[in-house]
């Protein structure tokens, strides 16, 4: 019983310590602000923000798309934001008929336009389907933001802005991702709707 209490406390401390490190990193703070400004610019031009990821990162993508398209802290008009995995019929069909590797790049081919933004989540930075979507987005003159971890993986070379959480534990990385995502949503909402 005591052992679990200690483990719970250690996990909470590890998560808090990671966020404290990020809060004290001026480069990270600037990248978060830059990412928010890129998104604001896109919305001001009538563009859309698309999200992708796998597993817990897909959940984070869907969560943040909902904060923008629904609401975050203010009652205000909706913003065009969507997570690319939400159509399970599409996802299973393309996975079955083609390859899981192209589920996102194929949608970017169909939906992406110049000036839109793709936000890709990959804790390792090496998710093939997310990275292929990043490549496709660049070919369509979209802007790209990566939420990643560890050393940034391959995605850091594909994204215009890479938010790299310098940690090796997937859960800690994802906890930081959602916090940063919420900060970006707050900045976007405040600057667009006062």
């Amino acid at each position: 019983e005591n052992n679990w209490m200690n483990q719970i406390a250690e996990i909470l401390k590890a998560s808090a310590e990671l966020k404290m490190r990020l809060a004290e990193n001026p480069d990270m703070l600037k990248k978060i602000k830059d990412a928010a400004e890129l998104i604001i610019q896109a919305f001001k031009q009538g563009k859309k923000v698309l999200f992708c990821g796998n597993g817990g990162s897909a959940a984070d993508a869907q969560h943040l798309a909902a904060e923008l398209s629904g609401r975050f802290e203010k009652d205000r008009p909706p913003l065009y934001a969507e997570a690319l995995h939400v159509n399970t019929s599409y996802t299973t069909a393309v996975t079955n008929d083609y390859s899981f590797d192209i589920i996102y790049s194929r949608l970017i081919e169909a939906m992406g336009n110049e000036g839109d933004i793709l936000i890709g989540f990959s804790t390792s930075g090496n998710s093939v389907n997310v990275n292929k979507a990043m490549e496709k987005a660049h070919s369509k003159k979209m802007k790209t933001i990566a939420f990643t971890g560890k050393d940034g993986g391959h995605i850091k070379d594909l994204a215009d802005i890479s938010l790299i959480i310098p940690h090796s534990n997937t859960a800690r990385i994802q906890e930081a991702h959602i916090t940063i995502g919420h900060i970006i949503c707050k900045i976007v909402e405040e600057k667009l709707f006062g």
Side-chain angles (χ1 to χ4, degrees):
E1 187 66 26
N2 252 4
N3 186 32
W4 271 114
M5 300 291 270
N6 291 338
Q7 281 190 55
I8 292 165
E10 287 307 311
I11 291 166
L12 286 167
K13 285 179 193 169
S15 188
E17 283 163 9
L18 172 59
K19 289 173 188 157
M20 286 301 295
R21 283 208 334 262
L22 297 174
E24 292 160 3
N25 179 338
D27 184 51
M28 176 57 79
L29 302 182
K30 183 177 185 316
K31 283 184 175 176
I32 293 168
K33 185 175 81 64
D34 290 348
E37 285 172 355
L38 205 61
I39 292 166
I40 290 161
Q41 186 182 357
F43 283 137
K44 278 184 172 172
Q45 294 169 354
K47 304 297 183 180
K48 60 187 171 290
V49 178
L50 303 174
F51 292 80
C52 64
N54 298 298
S57 292
D60 288 345
Q62 193 168 337
H63 178 158
L64 294 175
E67 303 285 23
L68 293 171
S69 59
R71 67 187 293 274
F72 184 59
E73 292 177 340
K74 289 181 181 299
D75 284 320
R76 42 84 177 166
L79 296 164
Y80 194 161
E82 188 59 87
L84 295 177
H85 66 277
V86 296
N87 183 338
T88 52
S89 296
Y90 164 86
T91 303
T92 54
V94 173
T95 297
N96 185 60
D97 297 346
Y98 298 100
S99 161
F100 189 67
D101 289 351
I102 67 158
I103 59 166
Y104 295 138
S105 59
R106 190 170 171 84
L107 279 176
I108 294 296
E109 190 175 339
M111 298 163 65
N113 296 306
E114 184 173 350
D116 288 343
I117 295 177
L118 173 64
I119 300 178
F121 285 80
S122 172
T123 57
S124 68
N126 297 316
S127 303
V128 175
N129 57 356
V130 176
N131 289 349
K132 282 187 179 299
M134 288 274 172
E135 290 165 356
K136 181 60 72 178
H138 276 294
S139 78
K140 300 202 82 175
K141 297 190 167 73
M142 293 171 65
K143 296 291 184 189
T144 56
I145 300 167
F147 279 70
T148 186
K150 303 181 170 89
D151 64 358
H154 184 49
I155 203 170
K156 75 175 181 296
D157 302 320
L158 301 173
D160 294 311
I161 299 172
S162 293
L163 300 163
I164 304 169
I165 308 305
H167 206 281
S168 58
N169 182 287
T170 299
R172 299 298 81 78
I173 294 165
Q174 289 173 334
E175 288 155 11
H177 281 172
I178 209 66
T179 302
I180 290 169
H182 279 158
I183 293 166
I184 289 170
C185 289
K186 184 173 182 68
I187 296 169
V188 168
E189 214 174 53
E190 291 286 337
K191 289 208 172 178
L192 285 177
F193 303 104

